[in-house]
Amino acid sequence: MQGSRKARIWRAGLVASTTAALVATGAVLAVSAQAAAGCRVDYRVSSSWGGGFTADVTVTNLGDAVNGWRLTWTFTGGQQVNQAWNATIPSGTSAITATNVSYNASIPTNGTVNFGFNGSQGGSNPNPTNFA
């Protein structure tokens, strides 16, 4: 009688520890299965003239699908955005925040969105590299 009680306790402990291990493993697998957040930004100056330029920007979504996006960067040469299309970009600053417009808010995984703008420059026009 004493032996079978010890066996039951041992089996209950084994089942409990196995269940806990499976739950922990499942939780780790669920976290690692999520898509990594992020994007790739392709920035290109398509036209340039004395005091101004036109730039085209393509954002590729490398993470989960999004509905509503924002891209930020800072111009290091004092450039400013004067006019934008396919994005909302306030003018008059070198710290840029571009946000979606109503018709391009959704970007599926591996999908892209394109926008462009005309800007002013005071001499040099280095491409930004600090996109977020």
Side-chain angles (χ1 to χ4, degrees):
M1 182 96 160
Q2 187 72 355
S4 66
R5 180 172 182 208
K6 284 183 181 178
R8 282 187 298 220
I9 292 172
W10 182 82
R11 274 183 262 157
L14 179 63
V15 168
S17 63
T18 302
T19 302
L22 288 173
V23 168
T25 302
V28 170
L29 292 176
V31 170
S32 64
Q34 293 177 352
C39 65
R40 182 180 70 234
V41 177
D42 297 310
Y43 178 94
R44 182 177 70 89
V45 173
S46 58
S47 181
S48 186
W49 59 92
F53 67 101
T54 299
D56 299 311
V57 181
T58 301
V59 178
T60 303
N61 179 12
L62 302 175
D64 293 331
V66 297
N67 188 8
W69 55 266
R70 179 181 68 183
L71 180 67
T72 62
W73 72 89
T74 302
F75 283 122
T76 58
Q79 308 96 312
Q80 295 184 357
V81 173
N82 298 331
Q83 174 191 19
W85 50 93
N86 297 332
T88 300
I89 305 175
S91 59
T93 180
S94 292
I96 306 301
T97 299
T99 57
N100 63 272
V101 290
S102 62
Y103 54 83
N104 68 0
S106 296
I107 312 173
T109 300
N110 296 319
T112 61
V113 66
N114 301 297
F115 64 93
F117 59 89
N118 291 324
S120 60
Q121 63 190 48
S124 68
N125 189 15
N127 288 349
T129 58
N130 56 345
F131 295 102

